Amino acid sequence: MTVSRQPLDMRRSKVFGEVAETYDASRAGYPSALVSTVLDYADLGDRPAVESGAGTGKATVPFAAALGDSPLLCVEPDARMAAVLRRNTADRPNVRIHVGPFEEWHPGDTRFGLLFAATSWHWLDPDRRWDLVHDALAPGGAVALFWNPQGVLDPHLHAALAEVDRRHGLTITPHAELSSSYGDTPGHWPGMLGHWPDAECRQDGRFTDLRSLRIREQAHYDTDRYLGHLASVSLYRALPADRRDRALADTAAVLDAHGGGIDVEHHHDLFLSRRR
């Protein structure tokens, strides 16, 4: 697999709120092993944590539970996503929510022991994000950036879905890769487009103890849930409605012809570093 660095269309970061409920119902979460790995690395003590781009809380909920009474501030730019996030964390008094872009949020006098971003780091301004992280963290504070791309387990289903994608001119869809093509290197997948944060962080020089690791987890989506997942992906949201509907209908036909769903392996890729 050859991965090249390409610019992201930042306008696509604004589309998730259109389908906030679908996003919440269909998107995959993050395993407890990832949460415990991050918190063991951060060794928070009495310092608070902050999440950038919390969305509807796919990572917020397990982190808030694992943090117990320790405070967690969630920064989410879209009010529609934040409304679902607020509902999902209603039983967690340790969670506070700030609605607005992370680039416009200010930590004030608070310095955090952990900043994490779940499948959202790539939407932050690349010219400012490391400055923002550095300013938010206490000395020794941890950064945890993670994604959960997936690979298709069945080669025959993968080939049939690839034909649908070709017909509709779609590239780098969530089912574009076989799980076996991912190899063993975190961040080595087309959706990352060469944006794995290790090199950028090393070049910055204000962070140390850099680590990258991968946690694998298999999952099954029935046809309806998988279509909801696709409908919440920025690539599909950016399509004209009629073209999106045709692509989803053709995908559904393939899934129904292959047993009514799709088996995938999520590759939970995690990057860790800490402020010097």
Side-chain angles (χ1 to χ4, degrees):
M1 183 194 313
T2 301
V3 179
S4 60
R5 185 179 180 92
Q6 300 177 23
L8 289 166
D9 183 351
M10 302 304 284
R11 293 171 297 180
R12 282 166 49 181
S13 68
K14 311 298 183 184
V15 301
F16 302 109
E18 299 171 356
V19 286
E21 295 288 354
T22 299
Y23 184 106
D24 188 58
S26 62
R27 286 292 186 108
Y30 300 90
S32 58
L34 184 147
V35 176
S36 60
T37 297
V38 170
L39 294 181
D40 287 348
Y41 175 88
D43 192 18
L44 276 172
D46 60 356
R47 297 176 299 182
V50 60
E51 180 181 7
S52 169
T56 64
K58 304 305 289 188
T60 313
V61 170
F63 268 92
L67 285 167
D69 295 330
S70 297
L72 170 59
L73 172 64
C74 302
V75 182
E76 167 52 41
D78 192 296
R80 298 162 296 182
M81 300 286 275
V84 181
L85 172 64
R86 189 168 287 109
R87 183 187 71 211
N88 287 341
T89 57
D91 62 342
R92 293 293 172 187
N94 60 322
V95 173
R96 292 190 299 115
I97 299 170
H98 173 88
V99 180
F102 190 77
E103 292 90 339
E104 297 176 10
W105 167 77
H106 299 285
D109 295 331
T110 303
R111 291 299 175 267
F112 294 84
L114 168 65
L115 185 150
F116 65 94
T119 316
S120 63
W121 175 255
H122 53 286
W123 296 122
L124 289 179
D125 181 351
D127 295 326
R128 298 181 56 209
R129 55 194 176 196
W130 288 107
D131 290 336
L132 296 168
V133 169
H134 183 269
D135 290 347
L137 289 176
V143 185
L145 313 174
F146 46 94
W147 292 259
N148 56 359
Q150 64 191 34
V152 182
L153 290 169
D154 181 350
H156 301 292
L157 176 57
H158 174 260
L161 291 172
E163 176 55 35
V164 172
D165 290 350
R166 280 192 294 272
R167 193 184 319 146
H168 292 281
L170 299 172
T171 59
I172 317 182
T173 61
H175 46 259
E177 295 294 324
L178 279 167
S179 182
S180 58
S181 72
Y182 275 75
D184 297 317
T185 304
H188 189 64
W189 40 279
M192 203 64 237
L193 299 174
H195 291 269
W196 188 245
D198 184 276
E200 195 175 76
C201 186
R202 289 182 189 279
Q203 185 177 13
D204 183 280
R206 292 175 291 179
F207 300 85
T208 188
D209 194 15
L210 280 63
R211 307 181 192 182
S212 296
L213 63 147
R214 170 173 290 169
I215 298 169
R216 292 180 171 87
E217 182 182 47
Q218 292 188 7
H220 175 79
Y221 293 80
D222 63 27
T223 297
D224 287 344
R225 185 184 173 200
Y226 194 66
L227 291 187
H229 171 57
L230 294 183
S232 75
V233 172
S234 62
L235 171 68
Y236 287 83
R237 299 309 311 159
L239 294 174
D242 59 340
R243 184 179 167 199
R244 179 172 63 245
D245 290 345
R246 290 195 300 271
L248 292 175
D250 288 352
T251 301
V254 168
L255 294 179
D256 287 342
H258 286 76
I262 183 171
D263 292 308
V264 302
E265 185 172 46
H266 288 288
H267 298 75
H268 299 280
D269 284 2
L270 169 63
F271 173 79
L272 297 165
S273 65
R274 65 178 78 252
R275 177 180 163 175
R276 291 186 183 275

